[in-house]
Amino acid sequence: MRLCRFVPKSDPGRPPRWAEFEGTGADGRLLVIDGDPWSRQAGVTREIYLATSIQLCAPVVPAKIVGDGLNYRKHAEEMKKPLPDEPLLFLKPPSALLDPDADIVRPSGYSRVDFEGEVALVIGKRARRVSREAALEYVLGVTALNDVTVRDLQKKDIQYTRAKGFDSFAPVGPCVTTLDQLAEEGHDLGNLRVRTTLNGEPRQDSTTADLIFDLPTLVSFISHVMTLEPGDVITTGTPSGVGPVQPGDVVAITVDGVGTLENPVVGEPA
């Protein structure tokens, strides 16, 4: 199942609704879900929208976005940093969430703002101190996330909150693909491909096989620090190839089995 949130183009002020996305691209259709994906009462309704008649919204409503820094071996090499002994956790605020196709706002006054294409996990049920072996039982599915970062502030502050916390610094989408759907299509979570392009030019291309801490390990580790609630997002680190963005750029992140998350970059209003 591929899950998304949307508003009709004919009524953009309407609160976003959940739906199951069937098909691909403009030929797809959305089957509206009554409730949210992790509710026991949720179910597909008879309402159907064509993909051409809707605007996608971020397919998550998290209480928190938990990030793991420096989790790809080759990225650690390009940043000239030693491999961490344990996951390096940080939080991005939910206010940083951004819809597919919406504008990333590059704040003024900073010399470098980077894209970071990432595989993100969406939690499906409450997880507290879960084992690595059971960790994926608590995951609803996978999506793509751009962990936009101000490098100036990351170096200055040491902590990552301000560097990664600006409004629009967490584009997510276009959908959440459930783990059973990924497995049905033959995708391996241990070797899931993520690619990033900037203005159509390849910048990142790797798989989760290069992770220092694999996906079950991350879920378990984080759940021993904080309780993970349904809808929470874990963004799992970025591969090598990160780079700066400027107004006018377009960043596209593709995760196998999920699709492509694309966002233009604009300057901060005066």
Side-chain angles (χ1 to χ4, degrees):
M1 182 182 295
R2 288 183 174 83
L3 299 164
C4 64
R5 292 172 69 242
F6 76 98
V7 293
K9 289 180 179 178
S10 60
D11 189 8
R14 186 173 182 174
R17 304 174 75 188
W18 289 97
E20 178 182 347
F21 195 102
E22 288 189 341
T24 58
D27 296 327
R29 63 176 191 165
L30 286 79
L31 284 61
V32 177
I33 293 174
D34 182 19
D36 58 58
W38 38 82
S39 170
R40 292 182 180 179
Q41 288 75 39
V44 175
T45 72
R46 294 184 178 181
E47 284 189 82
I48 297 175
Y49 286 81
L50 298 178
T52 53
S53 71
I54 62 93
Q55 174 62 52
L56 288 175
C57 303
V60 290
V61 189
K64 54 186 171 292
I65 305 167
V66 187
D68 181 28
L70 215 66
N71 196 29
Y72 279 78
R73 292 175 177 84
K74 290 182 180 178
H75 178 55
E77 291 175 9
E78 77 174 344
M79 301 301 284
K80 296 180 173 57
K81 293 185 177 181
L83 300 185
D85 295 325
E86 58 184 7
L88 304 174
L89 302 184
F90 61 89
L91 295 173
K92 289 177 82 84
S95 55
L97 277 177
L98 187 68
D99 298 337
D101 302 318
D103 294 338
I104 299 169
V105 179
R106 188 194 190 284
S108 59
Y110 301 107
S111 63
R112 181 160 172 169
V113 177
D114 280 10
F115 62 81
E116 293 190 7
E118 306 199 5
V119 174
L121 303 178
V122 180
I123 298 300
K125 62 180 181 180
R126 197 168 192 263
R128 173 62 177 158
R129 300 184 68 83
V130 302
S131 68
R132 181 190 178 282
E133 292 71 26
L136 293 183
E137 298 174 14
Y138 296 83
V139 175
L140 174 68
V142 172
T143 190
L145 185 144
N146 188 352
D147 180 22
V148 186
T149 305
V150 178
R151 293 291 179 218
D152 316 34
L153 293 176
Q154 190 175 27
K155 294 176 182 177
K156 177 182 178 182
D157 293 353
I158 301 177
Q159 297 184 3
Y160 293 176
T161 301
R162 187 161 62 131
K164 295 176 176 285
F166 284 82
D167 291 353
S168 81
F169 271 27
V172 183
C175 67
V176 175
T177 303
T178 57
L179 297 191
D180 56 351
Q181 181 71 38
L182 287 171
E184 183 179 318
E185 295 175 2
H187 298 294
D188 178 4
L189 280 183
N191 194 27
L192 198 62
R193 189 180 182 190
V194 54
R195 290 162 285 165
T196 304
T197 64
L198 182 67
N199 304 322
E201 295 294 325
R203 290 291 183 267
Q204 294 179 291
D205 190 347
S206 188
T207 78
T208 52
D210 191 45
L211 288 176
I212 299 166
F213 305 104
D214 66 12
L215 304 182
T217 297
L218 284 181
V219 175
S220 176
F221 183 87
I222 295 168
S223 77
H224 280 76
V225 177
M226 63 191 81
T227 301
L228 294 166
E229 301 289 353
D232 283 351
V233 174
I234 298 173
T235 189
T236 62
T238 196
S240 61
V242 298
V245 296
Q246 299 293 340
D249 288 341
V250 177
V251 183
I253 299 164
T254 302
V255 173
D256 281 0
V258 173
T260 299
L261 168 69
E262 185 171 296
N263 297 90
V265 180
V266 300
E268 187 175 36

